[in-house]
Amino acid sequence: MTEIVALEALVARIAPGQSLAIPVDSSGVAMAATAALLETGISDVRLICVPISGMQADLLIGAGAIASLETSAVSLGEAGGAPRFTAGVKSGAFALRDSTCPAIYAGLLAAQKGVPFMPIAGIIGSDLLNVRPDWQVIDSPVGEARKVVVVPAIAPDVALFHAPEADRAGNVRIGRHRELAELAYAAKRTLVTVERIVDRNLLETEDSAAGVLPSLYVDTVAVAVRGAWPLALWDEYPADEAEIARYAAMARSEEGFRAYLSTFLSHRKQVA
Amino acid sequence: MSAERERREILIAAIADLLDGIRHVAVGASSPIPATGAMLLRARNELCGKPPVRISILGSQAHNFFTNGGIELFDCAAQGRVDAFFLGGGQIDGEGNINLVGTGDYPASSVRWPGSFGSAYLYHLIPRVILFREEHSPRVFVPKVDFVSARAITPEVPRRGGPHALLTNMALFDFDRKAGRFALCSVHPPFTPADIRENTGFDYDEPEVVRETPRPDAATLSLLRGRIFDELAETYPAFARAMRQAA
């Protein structure tokens, strides 16, 4: 059964050393939970960005919370490059596993299907194959004779994201953001923060059920109002561009980052 | 500002021409000029009764018809359902390879960029990839990229995708996939072929007479400055506003 708990209890279920999968900025990023997680002093997280990340990954990196990073890119979008990511790569602060977007989705799909790897088109010729020895080029064993890249399954210990609402049974509305379902199908446990809990059953009609991740795949839900801020949450609020730009400027230096982080954590506490 | 607008309008019109004949173009996030070029083509086709054009702009709600999550663009591309796409690069070399990762020795790069995104995959699979990079300088256009995020040609593996053209602030190049080389196609006013040679770090072919990239005609400009900037405002409000204010 899905448990509905307080935000602090939700993040307490993420342990040092675990792999943590997070979605792209436009898909519902659990920023309030990220703040609460950083408050616990978490370390050694093996972060997996599905398939890229921005401020969330940069905050976790800057705070020294991660041991390794698998991603197709880390960028603040319009606000420019991700400063702590860039600095961390240069100093070797974490083990980096550069990827490409569809390879991450394919790895999750393999985990969802309970198979060790997934073949994927394209990629051949890229230097990514040299820096990712865990990816292999094989001759297709079936069908037409051709070379194909295979990537290993990605089964995160924990998936964490934010959505507009869940019902009391733990069904979560994800709209057309099906990548969130893919995260949940592949992960061993899924933690979701939501703007609100609704009394109606989200699986009641075909109309609403089509946009819902069933509670079968949802372990824990917590309410976090404006839980994606300063990032956007679809149909709810736009990104706070000024705040993201402020982060981009401050995070250029280690001291600036520390100052930003401490106000970010206290701001999130006030909202909670 | 109005010179800036003219520069952008030349790029937008050039993109619409490069996309002519396609059915479905996808545009990555944070790409206002490619998105505007795609919208111009869509409006133009509609007005002159040509087949309709589908546009998928990542990050847009209004100009996005995908409903199967982040993987859908990649699945569509693998099946041949996407005809055109745009890629850039921190470095682009004379063989059309692009680098989105960084310069120097991997992984402790001297300059590190965000990462390869979906390039390694999409470059292979989408037939008409337009390389678009506004900065035209020898630090971008290098003889050989330091890291190949996505390779332009792979003789050892058959593929559908690859570079179609390279568009910059100064010029438009064609790409010959057999030779694996760029050829200068046209130069945007006020630049000259000598400017291009000086600012391009790789070797390329050059015809005896290099034409000037045409300025968009009056009909194109009125379409662009009217309806297109309206359509664009949903996804790129700041860009649409800046283009309007320059008027």
Side-chain angles (χ1 to χ4, degrees), chain B residues 88-171:
Chain B
Q91 292 179 326
I92 297 172
D93 70 23
E95 292 176 9
N97 302 314
I98 65 170
N99 175 4
L100 296 159
V101 162
T103 63
D105 288 336
Y106 183 91
S109 320
S110 40
V111 175
R112 171 70 204 202
W113 297 312
S116 297
F117 293 91
S119 65
Y121 178 94
L122 297 173
Y123 213 15
H124 231 270
L125 298 163
I126 297 182
R128 205 182 290 193
V129 175
I130 296 164
L131 298 172
F132 178 64
R133 179 71 211 246
E134 289 182 85
E135 176 182 337
H136 193 137
S137 72
R139 71 172 195 152
V140 174
F141 299 112
V142 296
K144 197 171 167 28
V145 296
D146 292 356
F147 185 97
V148 179
S149 283
R151 196 171 288 285
I153 49 173
T154 47
E156 71 279 20
V157 192
R159 63 193 281 177
R160 184 192 313 120
H164 177 67
L166 165 65
L167 181 66
T168 77
N169 265 344
M170 296 174 77

Side-chain angles (χ1 to χ4, degrees), chain A:
Chain A
M1 285 301 289
T2 309
E3 283 186 273
I4 300 178
V5 302
L7 183 59
E8 289 67 26
L10 177 135
V11 301
R13 299 181 181 193
I14 306 170
Q18 285 188 322
S19 58
L20 173 67
I22 54 171
V24 64
D25 281 359
S26 56
S27 283
V29 172
M31 290 298 276
T34 304
L37 182 63
L38 288 171
E39 290 278 5
T40 70
I42 186 91
S43 63
D44 292 321
V45 171
R46 291 181 287 132
L47 194 66
I48 302 162
C49 307
V50 181
I52 63 172
S53 183
M55 190 170 159
Q56 185 185 23
D58 213 52
L59 278 171
L60 289 163
I61 292 167
I66 74 159
S68 72
L69 175 65
E70 174 158 18
T71 190
S72 304
V74 183
S75 161
L76 300 181
E78 305 270 89
R84 294 298 94 198
F85 163 72
T86 309
V89 171
K90 279 191 195 168
S91 68
F94 48 82
L96 177 63
R97 289 149 67 87
D98 261 297
S99 189
T100 185
C101 303
I104 289 181
Y105 289 126
L108 293 173
L109 199 57
Q112 174 188 334
K113 296 187 180 302
V115 295
F117 64 84
M118 187 60 58
I120 173 177
I123 301 180
I124 290 172
S126 169
D127 280 346
L128 288 173
L129 282 165
N130 302 329
V131 304
R132 291 298 303 261
D134 55 329
W135 297 359
Q136 300 286 316
V137 179
I138 63 165
D139 292 308
S140 173
V142 293
E144 59 171 305
R146 60 183 268 203
K147 300 268 181 214
V148 63
V149 174
V150 296
V151 300
I154 299 173
D157 291 319
V158 181
L160 171 69
F161 62 85
H162 184 72
E165 56 192 27
D167 65 18
R168 301 217 169 267
N171 301 303
V172 176
R173 187 158 67 79
I174 58 169
R176 56 177 136 171
H177 291 270
R178 304 300 310 169
E179 61 275 4
L180 296 176
E182 210 183 323
L183 262 181
Y185 298 154
K188 293 174 191 130
R189 284 201 305 176
T190 295
L191 315 180
V192 183
T193 57
V194 292
E195 292 291 316
R196 57 193 166 266
I197 305 277
V198 296
D199 286 324
R200 69 183 189 285
N201 173 4
L202 292 174
L203 290 178
E204 198 164 64
T205 68
E206 292 302 306
D207 254 3
S208 90
V212 165
L213 174 67
S215 63
L216 169 63
Y217 305 100
V218 181
D219 297 88
T220 310
V221 171
V223 172
V225 175
R226 292 187 69 78
W229 180 88
L231 301 176
L233 181 61
W234 71 88
D235 293 347
E236 301 276 334
Y237 41 88
D240 184 341
E241 304 288 353
E243 178 70 11
I244 297 166
R246 200 169 76 83
Y247 173 76
M250 289 185 74
R252 275 191 217 139
S253 73
E254 178 69 32
E255 305 74 56
F257 173 80
R258 291 280 153 200
Y260 183 89
L261 183 62
S262 104
T263 51
F264 178 71
L265 296 183
S266 56
H267 171 93
R268 285 292 0 168
K269 253 190 207 141
Q270 280 161 21
V271 175

Side-chain angles (χ1 to χ4, degrees), chain B residues 63-80:
Chain B
H63 305 280
N64 172 10
F65 49 84
F66 291 144
T67 58
N68 198 30
I71 203 168
E72 191 169 359
L73 164 70
F74 303 107
D75 287 350
C76 274
Q79 290 191 323

Side-chain angles (χ1 to χ4, degrees), chain B residues 174-220:
Chain B
D174 289 326
F175 188 79
D176 180 340
R177 285 194 202 169
K178 280 214 176 76
R181 272 174 77 82
F182 289 103
L184 187 60
C185 175
S186 71
V187 176
H188 316 333
F191 301 109
T192 66
D195 295 330
I196 308 306
R197 190 64 68 183
E198 193 178 319
N199 287 284
T200 310
F202 57 70
D203 191 32
Y204 55 88
D205 297 327
E206 186 176 321
E208 274 185 26
V209 180
V210 181
R211 68 188 181 98
E212 186 169 271
T213 311
R215 286 193 164 86
D217 60 24
T220 301

Side-chain angles (χ1 to χ4, degrees), chain B residues 16 24-25 29 51 88 98 114 118 125 145 158 216 234-235 238:
Chain B
H24 180 191
V25 52
I98 65 170
L125 298 163
V145 296
E234 181 257 353
T235 324

